[in-house]
Amino acid sequence: MAKYERHREFEVHLLSYDGAQHLRLHGWLKRNDVLIKSETIHKSDNSFGRFMIFINDVMLEKLKLENMERGLFCDIDVMNGESERWGLIRNIEKESEESKRENLIDKIQDFMFSFQIRDRNDVENFLKQANETSLTLFKQSKSFIDDYIQTKELTYKDKIKDIDLMIEAFVEEERYEDCALLVGIKEDIKEYYKLKKQL
């Protein structure tokens, strides 16, 4: 009988310093089937966003090596217990108070979502929250749209599929203005790759 080697899983928090890095990291996590528990966008002076992921020790080492080559994140915290998790949150809030910024919760409340699978409804809720987060980022920043279109972390097919799924979800909710924005992004993606082929 073959033995299966089990790998220890860690809760890991990753910080990105701008939208382009955040997108590169998101693509890497997606391609490597890493479970993303939550994603936040907070745009402070020294960081752009945060991912909370669950990852085994082998993939964690792979992520660290990839980071040295491609700059996927600017800071990492590996949680070994509940006290470290609360310590991290307290430190974030303390830094926020010291710099007289808005409360951490208020800043990221609209962008934060958590993923805990219990049933089909949880998956649907996660997808809805992910769509809303992407749409909000597209609406807030033309540079984020440009980064999404030009990133090499997602293939052309992945980008078109993501946009099509978002359009389908928003059509069901009769949110036609949001669909129009997404159709425009889809056309920009096609145009970008068409011009790239010509070079």
Side-chain angles (χ1 to χ4, degrees):
M1 185 179 247
K3 282 190 175 181
Y4 295 98
E5 187 177 343
R6 293 193 61 183
H7 298 282
R8 183 173 176 208
E9 284 216 334
F10 298 94
E11 178 182 317
V12 176
H13 294 245
L14 302 164
L15 278 181
S16 58
Y17 67 83
D18 64 11
Q21 185 180 59
H22 195 83
L23 201 56
R24 278 196 311 273
L25 178 56
H26 187 266
W28 190 93
L29 295 171
K30 187 175 179 179
R31 256 195 335 277
N32 288 280
D33 295 321
V34 175
L35 177 63
I36 300 171
K37 184 170 185 215
S38 70
E39 177 182 7
T40 59
I41 307 297
H42 51 261
K43 291 187 184 178
S44 69
D45 290 340
N46 55 3
S47 64
F48 176 86
R50 174 184 299 273
F51 285 96
M52 182 192 310
I53 62 171
F54 288 104
I55 190 169
N56 67 40
D57 54 346
V58 173
M59 287 303 291
L60 180 57
E61 289 307 311
K62 182 177 176 183
L63 174 61
K64 288 177 182 177
L65 288 172
E66 287 278 324
N67 185 55
M68 286 190 281
E69 292 177 20
R70 298 172 54 213
L72 297 174
F73 57 87
C74 64
D75 195 14
I76 183 170
D77 286 302
V78 179
M79 303 292 115
N80 287 318
E82 195 67 29
S83 62
E84 286 186 10
R85 184 177 300 111
W86 284 111
L88 176 66
I89 291 169
R90 279 194 296 273
N91 285 341
I92 292 169
E93 288 176 345
K94 185 178 176 184
E95 288 171 13
S96 182
E97 287 171 16
E98 288 171 1
S99 62
K100 299 189 185 209
R101 294 186 193 125
E102 295 172 49
N103 183 302
L104 174 68
I105 303 301
D106 293 336
K107 286 181 86 174
I108 64 174
Q109 182 175 10
D110 294 334
F111 296 104
M112 184 169 177
F113 57 88
S114 294
F115 187 41
Q116 297 176 348
I117 302 174
R118 286 184 293 274
D119 57 29
R120 182 183 172 97
N121 288 337
D122 288 338
V123 174
E124 288 173 5
N125 286 336
F126 171 78
L127 293 174
K128 185 174 182 174
Q129 291 172 337
N131 287 342
E132 290 293 341
T133 299
S134 296
L135 182 66
T136 302
L137 289 168
F138 289 147
K139 285 180 174 180
Q140 281 189 348
S141 172
K142 173 75 172 106
S143 67
F144 189 83
I145 293 172
D146 293 340
D147 289 340
Y148 183 84
I149 291 168
Q150 297 170 16
T151 185
K152 295 175 184 172
E153 299 305 314
L154 297 170
T155 66
Y156 170 80
K157 285 182 180 180
D158 287 339
K159 292 174 191 176
I160 296 297
K161 183 178 177 184
D162 281 349
I163 296 294
D164 282 343
L165 289 172
M166 289 175 67
I167 290 170
E168 185 180 317
F170 291 130
V171 164
E172 286 178 18
E173 296 176 23
E174 297 182 4
R175 292 170 57 180
Y176 301 115
E177 286 181 23
D178 294 334
C179 291
L181 172 69
L182 294 168
V183 168
I185 293 170
K186 182 178 175 180
E187 292 305 312
D188 290 345
I189 292 168
K190 289 179 178 179
E191 185 66 24
Y192 173 77
Y193 281 91
K194 184 179 175 183
L195 290 172
K196 206 171 168 187
K197 278 185 178 180
Q198 292 175 358
L199 296 176

